[in-house]
Amino acid sequence: MKLVFLGPPGAGKGTIAAKAKDVYSIPHISTGDLFRDNIKRETELGKKVKAILAAGDLVPDEVTIAMVKDRLASDDASNGFILDGFPRTIAQADALETISSLDKVVNFVLDKEDIIRRLSGRRVCKSTGRTYHILYNPPKVEGIDDETGEPLIQRDDDKEEAIRNRLEVYEASTAPLISYYREKGLLVDIDASASPDEVLKSMVDALR
Ligand code: AP5
């Protein structure tokens, strides 16, 4: 199964992808996670994109496309993948067409109030990227990762100003992909407002 997860920041793409990868036995490829891993390891790429991510702007297309092309060439992606956060521009979508076919594009739909609630309450484990929410998916011990015992942090781009910018960037650059993929007959809309397990179930049912 070759899937793209589309949707505004905080719609739950990463949360659902972490579950769906086991349902379909395919890798979860998040461009945001790949960039954050490079930032953590202080690679050349990481140094180049650090300030861009913190502000909630988009990394230039050529950098992002090269990274995804490289990742999709790995053996584990040969039978399928979930692309989470890519493509995010029409130019990226055009490039993806030259790299791989797609089975479906899942569009996670969530209103703005819920998006802001989810992003402002998100906490993550820096070393593993595991995601929590202070209300909807709290860790067993407040502020501590369930498995590593490390303190949880708030992503730089989950601060108020960066959230506002990410929503504007989404509307300007990424939302046009909804009609792009609808016209190709690939789009499946999923209501992302229910619990993660319910969202997963409605997606799996819709893809059947
Ligand atoms: P990225 O990491 O992709 O950020 P994003 O698209 O803004 O998505 P998020 O990770 O914020 O949200 P999500 O939809 O995965 O939600 P989540 O599951 O975490 O990208 C970060 C940055 O990298 C970009 O801003 C850009 O700079 C750069 N970048 C990445 N890709 C790029 C590209 N292609 N081109 C250029 N630049 C790129 O859930 C959010 C919260 O809600 C969590 O706390 C979670 O616990 C909670 N939650 C989730 N689902 C539910 C539910 N059903 N009910 C209740 N709570 C829920």
Side-chain angles (χ1 to χ4, degrees):
M1 186 78 100
K2 295 175 177 171
L3 299 174
V4 161
F5 279 12
L6 194 64
K13 304 179 295 295
T15 299
I16 303 304
K19 294 170 179 285
K21 72 179 173 44
D22 296 328
V23 174
Y24 298 112
S25 301
I26 49 178
H28 167 203
I29 301 173
S30 155
T31 40
D33 286 350
L34 291 175
F35 287 132
R36 282 185 289 275
D37 179 57
N38 275 276
I39 293 170
K40 195 174 69 189
R41 291 186 291 113
E42 299 183 345
T43 65
E44 281 310 306
L45 174 63
K47 288 177 197 159
K48 199 189 290 184
V49 303
K50 187 173 182 186
I52 299 176
L53 264 82
D57 290 324
L58 290 185
V59 175
D61 284 336
E62 62 276 14
V63 175
T64 309
I65 291 164
M67 181 179 76
V68 171
K69 192 172 182 184
D70 194 48
R71 180 63 186 86
L72 288 179
S74 302
D75 285 349
D76 69 334
S78 60
N79 288 328
F81 48 78
I82 299 170
L83 272 176
D84 162 12
F86 182 94
R88 250 180 164 92
T89 63
I90 299 283
Q92 291 179 13
D94 288 341
L96 179 58
E97 272 199 335
T98 69
I99 302 171
S100 176
S101 60
L102 294 174
D103 292 309
K104 287 288 173 203
V105 174
V106 182
N107 179 36
F108 293 94
V109 181
L110 193 67
D111 66 35
K112 201 168 164 187
E113 287 71 37
D114 281 334
I115 290 171
I116 291 168
R117 257 194 295 275
R118 285 189 187 178
L119 290 178
S120 51
R122 175 164 56 188
R123 298 293 181 270
V124 292
C125 173
K126 200 173 180 185
S127 66
T128 64
R130 209 179 347 269
T131 299
Y132 299 86
H133 190 281
I134 52 174
L135 299 177
Y136 308 138
N137 177 26
K140 290 179 188 133
V141 177
E142 192 184 329
I144 300 292
D145 182 71
D146 289 348
E147 284 175 32
T148 65
E150 292 169 60
L152 300 178
I153 59 154
Q154 187 172 32
R155 271 170 46 175
D156 285 342
D157 60 351
D158 280 346
K159 312 263 160 74
E160 199 181 325
E161 199 181 323
I163 290 177
R164 213 175 312 121
N165 187 37
R166 286 161 68 200
L167 289 172
E168 283 172 16
V169 169
Y170 169 79
E171 283 305 328
S173 302
T174 308
L177 290 175
I178 295 173
S179 44
Y180 176 99
Y181 283 121
R182 201 184 301 284
E183 280 162 22
K184 290 181 187 292
L186 289 172
L187 201 81
V188 177
D189 287 313
I190 296 293
D191 174 5
S193 66
S195 72
D197 285 339
E198 286 169 312
V199 175
L200 177 72
K201 184 175 182 313
S202 48
M203 184 194 80
V204 170
D205 288 346
L207 294 180
R208 205 169 271 141

